[in-house]
Amino acid sequence: MKLKLEQSNRLVSLALYVGSMFLLMEWVYPLDIITDTGQSHLFIVFIVVMFALSMIHLPFGLISVIKAGILLLFIHHVFFDTAFFSTEWVKLFFEEMVINVQESIQQNWQTLTPVFRTFLFLILLWMLSYLLYYWYVVVKRPLAFIFLTVLYVTVLDTFTVYEANIAIIRVFSLSALLLVLANFHRIVESERLTEPKARQFIKWLAPMILVIGISAAIGYAAPKYEPQWPDPVSFIQSASENGFGSGAGFGGVQRVGYGEHDDRLGGGFQMDNTTVFYATSSAERYWKVETKDVYTGHGWERSSEGERIASETGQFPEISQYGDVVAREESSLDLQMIEPGNLNKVPYIYGTEQVGTTNDQINFEYDLITNELLSLDNGEQTLVEDDYSLEANRPDFPRNAMREVPVSYQEDSGIDESYLQLPDELPDRVSNLAGMIVSEEDQNRYDYAKAIEDYFSEGDYEYATDDVAVPDEDEDYVDQFLFETQRGYCDNFSTSMVVLLRSLDIPARWAKGFTGGDRAFEQDAFPDAGSDVFEVQNNNAHSWVEVYFPDVGWVPFEPTIGFQNQVDVSTGESIDDILDDNQDDALDQPESSEQPDADSQLEEGEEEEGNDSEAAGSNGDSSVSPWIVISISVIIVIIVGLLIYYRDRLVYAWRKQRLKRRANQATITESYQFVMKLLAKKGYPFKSGETLREYAKQADRILDGRSMSELTHYYEQFIYREDSFQSDQSEYYRLWKKVTDLILSK
């Protein structure tokens, strides 16, 4: 069905449709904050383009082809480096779709790649632009979508980090205006009034806009009562299955947060949203605090108290000891401690080389064994309230170099054999499971580690924070989790991965600290940092795995279900290498690491983007210049604008060719109705109760002749009397072309 804009209410319809577009944008704005979606501004551009194309009123088939082409262009811009619609691009895109359709049929939703998720999301936006056209322009019923938008924004404001103070004002103001316009339309329809001209319409609408604006301003600025009921969110969060246990449990329920006692792991915990610190960062990063190396069968201990080094300047290049094959990126960060609680060490990101503070009394030490960064005031370990500053060269770990490392531990690798330690009582089935997991992998350390990292998400394991078992004295913590409960949180997953790796003779250790936290838009710690501030709570306490690769260093891995690796991992190849190997990769795609399956595409995208983007439209190339995006967007808007401006002439040219090639009842009816639409746009619509001949005479007065009456005579003969049209086709075509040219010239 082709939706038609009512000519008698074009201004109202246009205003309603544009308003619905801005309401739809309110659904997209929060995605950057509440999800790991990146480049959401492209979704905004896509919405504008879809809505603009819907207003052109080209034939449904033609407009669908144009929209589909633009959708594919967006997908190509975000994800592909090959030429658009080239043979290589079509092949890659087709393979991507086939793989994801197969995964969808098997209900493997977590393995869907970012390309496919973005493709589905863009189709959803396309469909919404069409549905909103129907709801707002055709039937003029905006209330349902307004209600859903208000509900969506308020729920996000209540249960997520999204601050919707301004969004609520925008939604309220726009919704009130849309309801006013819809009511105006009903009055015009019921009273059979003629829609006012644009200038009169604006004069009528201006007081409404003023009243709505004043009401919104008063509502925003007026004093407000404090909450009258206890906040239910904290309770809901504490009962939800999200978070981390600090590992001090003896079977009882703990409160989540950083803790030093990890010798007895297990047991559930309660959520705690206390803010530990604020940090400036462009993206989420692991905040490392320490590592432990001795697994006891029930938890973690240290083989020694470590080896501390001091630095008067705060420079510790030892923190960032990576091989020459590791690319580095400079980064400066600041931390402001709020309520550190049990935390008495300075959290830092991977690649940190220098730490400082505004307090001259503070000195720093770093432990080479436990990886703890300590701040001391007159020799006493403490965390001051002053800001901490970090200078780092963030590592970009090269996948190809890590794949060259043999699986087994080498004595000359530069690390102690203690990172292979396992308790003598460890059940044999644990090492047997490790061998089974990697049995089909290439024999290199990286692929073995990735196979074990992925194993937990592919099985029947469940992430949970309550009813988590604590092993008895004669039970092993990892064995119980792997073969009996298969239920737990990050301590269970990370400890199990370290043990599985060590059973394969791969050096690994247990790391703990915090995940990157959530973006904080309203905070006093760094008021000038904008959106590049993260709030790290006790809820963000976390543990993960580090694997050693000679000539690379200690590399983090993330086995916990629902969490993503927050360091950068790239192929490690130069542009020249990629170009040289491109042809070989194309021939070897089924087995080559450069053409991964759906699982590896998802994980590699997450690693390389550093967790900046993961949902629909997420894993785009972050190196694309914003000016390119802006230029493409401007070009698209200009093209759409020209199409709207010359819409009638484009449709005229298409109708003319169609009528000339095939003059039948369908094309003649369409051509005559097209003339009526053009006249309606000029202010002379067909009135109810009026005959075609009366309408034609009125049109002839505008056109200064009798062409419309003659055209109507031929049209009536063919439509109503079904006379043969063979001899009069050329005359009808001549008259129709003459009338149309006259109207378009007015």
Side-chain angles (χ1 to χ4, degrees):
M1 179 184 68
K2 182 179 178 181
L3 302 177
K4 298 178 181 179
L5 182 65
E6 298 180 30
Q7 299 298 332
S8 61
N9 294 285
R10 287 183 296 114
L11 288 176
V12 175
S13 298
L14 179 62
L16 285 172
Y17 192 47
V18 172
S20 70
M21 178 185 71
F22 284 109
L23 280 182
L24 181 58
M25 290 179 182
E26 295 294 342
W27 291 69
V28 177
Y29 292 144
L31 296 183
D32 272 339
I33 300 170
I34 65 173
T35 72
D36 292 325
T37 303
Q39 304 191 55
S40 62
H41 60 281
L42 291 178
F43 293 134
I44 299 297
V45 173
F46 184 79
I47 289 173
V48 173
V49 172
M50 291 296 105
F51 274 69
L53 289 173
S54 296
M55 293 190 296
I56 296 179
H57 299 297
L58 292 174
F60 180 77
L62 178 60
I63 206 70
S64 298
V65 171
I66 295 175
K67 288 183 177 181
I70 292 175
L71 186 150
L72 294 177
L73 181 62
F74 269 72
I75 292 290
H76 169 266
H77 169 71
V78 175
F79 293 102
F80 296 94
D81 294 327
T82 57
F84 183 53
F85 255 105
S86 63
T87 304
E88 183 181 2
W89 181 87
V90 172
K91 180 180 178 181
L92 291 174
F93 182 76
F94 179 75
E95 290 176 350
E96 189 85 22
M97 295 299 105
V98 170
I99 290 173
N100 283 275
V101 169
Q102 292 173 348
E103 295 296 321
S104 300
I105 293 173
Q106 298 174 6
Q107 299 183 3
N108 296 328
W109 312 119
Q110 290 184 343
T111 61
L112 298 182
T113 64
V115 175
F116 190 69
R117 293 199 304 271
T118 304
F119 178 75
L120 294 180
F121 188 60
L122 291 178
I123 289 180
L124 175 63
L125 294 178
W126 177 359
M127 294 173 61
L128 283 173
S129 70
Y130 184 84
L131 291 174
L132 291 176
Y133 185 96
Y134 178 78
W135 291 338
Y136 280 73
V137 175
V138 179
V139 299
K140 305 288 193 305
R141 294 178 180 174
L143 186 59
F145 189 66
I146 287 174
F147 173 77
L148 291 176
T149 304
V150 172
L151 180 64
Y152 171 78
V153 172
T154 52
V155 166
L156 291 186
D157 181 71
T158 303
F159 293 97
T160 72
V161 297
Y162 180 60
E163 296 290 343
N165 296 341
I166 302 300
I168 289 292
I169 298 297
R170 290 197 303 261
V171 172
F172 163 77
S173 303
L174 186 58
S175 300
L177 181 60
L178 293 177
L179 292 174
V180 167
L181 291 172
N183 188 59
F184 172 78
H185 165 75
R186 283 192 290 271
I187 294 174
V188 171
E189 286 290 309
S190 62
E191 299 297 332
R192 296 184 178 181
L193 301 175
T194 301
E195 183 184 9
K197 300 297 182 182
R199 182 174 298 178
Q200 295 174 332
F201 179 74
I202 293 174
K203 287 182 179 180
W204 178 85
L205 195 60
M208 299 296 102
I209 296 176
L210 182 61
V211 170
I212 293 171
I214 293 174
S215 301
I218 292 175
Y220 181 76
K224 301 169 182 62
Y225 282 110
E226 294 296 325
Q228 301 299 302
W229 294 279
D231 187 1
V233 178
S234 299
F235 173 78
I236 295 174
Q237 288 178 333
S238 66
S240 67
E241 292 185 358
N242 295 293
F244 160 88
S246 62
F250 290 86
V253 177
Q254 322 144 55
R255 184 173 295 276
V256 65
Y258 175 82
E260 293 192 334
H261 301 288
D262 305 302
D263 55 331
R264 187 74 173 180
L265 299 178
F269 62 84
Q270 293 180 346
M271 302 297 290
D272 181 4
N273 57 9
T274 302
T275 302
V276 180
F277 62 89
Y278 287 103
T280 61
S281 177
S282 59
E284 295 179 68
R285 303 289 174 192
Y286 283 129
W287 292 99
K288 184 176 176 180
V289 177
E290 62 178 312
T291 61
K292 293 187 177 180
D293 59 345
V294 176
Y295 174 64
T296 64
H298 293 91
W300 287 96
E301 296 178 354
R302 293 172 176 166
S303 58
S304 69
E305 288 303 316
E307 179 183 345
R308 295 186 183 182
I309 57 174
S311 172
E312 295 182 358
T313 61
Q315 291 184 337
F316 294 100
E318 296 82 2
I319 300 179
S320 184
Q321 288 185 342
Y322 301 109
D324 294 337
V325 296
V326 179
R328 312 291 289 277
E329 182 178 348
E330 292 185 3
S331 182
S332 297
L333 306 94
D334 293 296
L335 284 76
Q336 175 65 66
M337 294 296 166
I338 305 299
E339 295 186 34
N342 294 325
L343 179 64
N344 58 358
K345 310 172 185 70
V346 180
Y348 59 93
I349 68 169
Y350 284 92
T352 296
E353 295 186 350
Q354 183 169 354
V355 59
T357 181
T358 55
N359 190 330
D360 296 335
Q361 302 297 321
I362 297 297
N363 296 317
F364 296 95
E365 291 183 353
Y366 176 69
D367 196 308
L368 297 173
I369 306 300
T370 65
N371 298 149
E372 296 168 302
L373 181 58
L374 310 175
S375 61
L376 300 97
D377 185 359
N378 294 321
E380 182 179 347
Q381 186 175 333
T382 183
L383 283 179
V384 296
E385 296 181 358
D386 302 83
D387 292 350
Y388 288 92
S389 61
L390 300 177
E391 297 294 331
N393 282 314
R394 294 188 291 105
D396 190 350
F397 297 107
R399 191 180 299 109
N400 62 341
M402 292 188 286
R403 281 199 169 108
E404 296 176 359
V405 177
V407 174
S408 299
Y409 169 77
Q410 305 294 321
E411 293 184 359
D412 58 351
S413 60
I415 62 164
D416 194 271
E417 195 172 357
S418 61
Y419 295 109
L420 298 175
Q421 172 272 335
L422 289 173
D424 296 335
E425 299 81 10
L426 183 71
D428 292 338
R429 60 179 179 175
V430 175
S431 58
N432 293 337
L433 175 62
M436 183 198 71
I437 294 173
V438 302
S439 59
E440 298 182 0
E441 301 296 327
D442 292 340
Q443 293 189 7
N444 65 76
R445 190 170 296 182
Y446 178 81
D447 286 342
Y448 272 30
K450 285 299 295 180
I452 295 176
E453 181 185 53
D454 296 337
Y455 167 73
F456 299 100
S457 61
E458 297 169 355
D460 296 326
Y461 293 90
E462 178 185 359
Y463 181 87
T465 60
D466 57 352
D467 296 330
V468 178
V470 178
D472 295 333
E473 290 298 329
D474 58 346
E475 289 183 302
D476 184 87
Y477 176 72
V478 168
D479 180 78
Q480 181 192 61
F481 172 68
L482 291 177
F483 299 101
E484 297 178 17
T485 64
Q486 296 187 332
R487 174 186 174 88
Y489 40 88
C490 58
D491 285 350
N492 300 86
F493 290 96
S494 58
T495 302
S496 297
M497 181 174 177
V498 173
V499 171
L500 290 170
L501 288 168
R502 289 184 175 185
S503 66
L504 295 172
D505 204 29
I506 296 176
R509 65 188 182 189
W510 192 65
K512 60 183 294 189
F514 298 87
T515 57
D518 298 308
R519 290 189 185 271
F521 293 92
E522 293 186 2
Q523 43 77 36
D524 298 326
F526 304 104
D528 299 327
S531 61
D532 289 338
V533 179
F534 285 81
E535 179 187 11
V536 179
Q537 303 177 345
N538 279 325
N539 294 335
N540 298 115
H542 191 57
S543 62
W544 59 95
V545 178
E546 291 182 353
V547 182
Y548 186 76
F549 294 84
D551 300 325
V552 176
W554 288 99
V555 180
F557 285 81
E558 180 56 82
T560 305
I561 295 176
F563 288 79
Q564 298 163 3
N565 204 331
Q566 295 183 352
V567 296
D568 298 329
V569 178
S570 65
T571 62
E573 295 179 310
S574 65
I575 296 298
D576 293 336
D577 293 336
I578 295 174
L579 293 176
D580 291 340
D581 295 340
N582 187 53
Q583 186 172 359
D584 294 337
D585 291 341
L587 296 174
D588 264 343
Q589 276 181 351
E591 291 137 18
S592 172
S593 62
E594 296 302 317
Q595 179 63 32
D597 58 16
D599 289 340
S600 58
Q601 278 185 335
L602 176 61
E603 69 200 16
E604 289 177 11
E606 292 166 348
E607 293 166 352
E608 292 171 9
E609 291 300 321
N611 198 32
D612 285 341
S613 49
E614 191 259 344
S618 54
N619 281 0
D621 182 5
S622 61
S623 64
V624 176
S625 170
W627 293 109
I628 296 178
V629 176
I630 294 173
S631 300
I632 294 176
S633 303
V634 170
I635 292 172
I636 292 175
V637 171
I638 291 174
I639 293 174
V640 171
L642 291 174
L643 288 174
I644 294 175
Y645 185 78
Y646 292 105
R647 174 183 59 192
D648 292 334
R649 294 188 179 276
L650 291 172
V651 176
Y652 167 53
W654 182 74
R655 296 282 184 200
K656 182 169 63 174
Q657 293 299 321
R658 184 180 172 123
L659 181 62
K660 188 175 183 180
R661 290 196 310 267
R662 187 187 307 167
N664 53 34
Q665 186 171 3
T667 56
I668 290 172
T669 301
E670 291 172 355
S671 64
Y672 191 83
Q673 289 179 348
F674 177 66
V675 170
M676 296 176 68
K677 288 180 181 179
L678 294 179
L679 287 170
K681 290 181 179 181
K682 297 297 182 181
Y684 298 93
F686 182 76
K687 298 177 182 178
S688 177
E690 192 176 29
T691 66
L692 283 180
R693 293 186 182 183
E694 292 172 342
Y695 176 67
K697 289 180 180 179
Q698 294 294 330
D700 282 336
R701 294 177 183 176
I702 309 168
L703 303 176
D704 298 327
R706 297 192 68 257
S707 301
M708 186 64 183
S709 295
E710 293 177 6
L711 180 68
T712 303
H713 169 72
Y714 283 104
Y715 174 71
E716 288 180 330
Q717 279 189 330
F718 183 70
I719 297 300
Y720 299 129
R721 294 170 51 188
E722 298 184 357
D723 290 348
S724 173
F725 198 67
Q726 297 297 325
S727 59
D728 297 323
Q729 286 183 11
S730 60
E731 184 61 18
Y732 177 87
Y733 175 78
R734 183 188 68 81
L735 288 169
W736 177 82
K737 185 173 178 297
K738 179 180 179 181
V739 170
T740 306
D741 288 336
L742 286 171
I743 297 173
L744 291 175
S745 64
K746 294 292 183 180

